[in-house]
Amino acid sequence: MPFIIHLLLGTFISFFAAMPLGPVNLAIVQTAINYGRWQAVLVAVGSSLVELIYCLISVWGIDLLFSNQQDQDITLLFMQLVSIPVMFSLGVHNLVKQVKEDEA
């Protein structure tokens, strides 16, 4: 049951997050202007289906990673062990890199 609730919540948030004018919404508007309302509805439904698939994949993945407390602890420890050295090395690299003449 929590899977369905999370899926519906993710779909709801995704719907409202997609409202600001972006490439998909501009494509829908452009399609409506060039080809009519019906074609724009088809583009909107297609983009909504893609968002639903992304939402399903993310909810399913999170459900697999955090199915119980032991898995959650192991996953968070692994994420910390990987992300901390990566972020540290990127920071050191950014500090020591040479600035080109064009950028100065």
Side-chain angles (χ1 to χ4, degrees), residues 40-101:
V41 168
L42 291 177
V43 171
V45 167
S47 64
S48 296
L49 287 176
V50 171
E51 287 288 328
L52 180 65
I53 291 169
Y54 289 157
C55 186
L56 273 171
I57 291 170
S58 65
V59 168
W60 181 65
I62 293 296
D63 188 50
L64 283 177
L65 287 175
F66 300 117
S67 58
N68 60 32
Q69 186 65 35
Q70 183 182 4
D71 289 345
Q72 183 178 1
D73 292 340
I74 291 171
T75 304
L76 290 176
L77 178 65
F78 176 75
M79 290 170 70
Q80 289 173 350
L81 289 175
V82 169
S83 65
I84 291 172
V86 168
M87 289 298 145
F88 181 76
S89 62
L90 287 174
V92 169
H93 175 72
N94 192 33
L95 286 174
V96 299
K97 74 177 183 178
Q98 297 289 326
V99 178
K100 295 181 181 178
E101 290 291 326

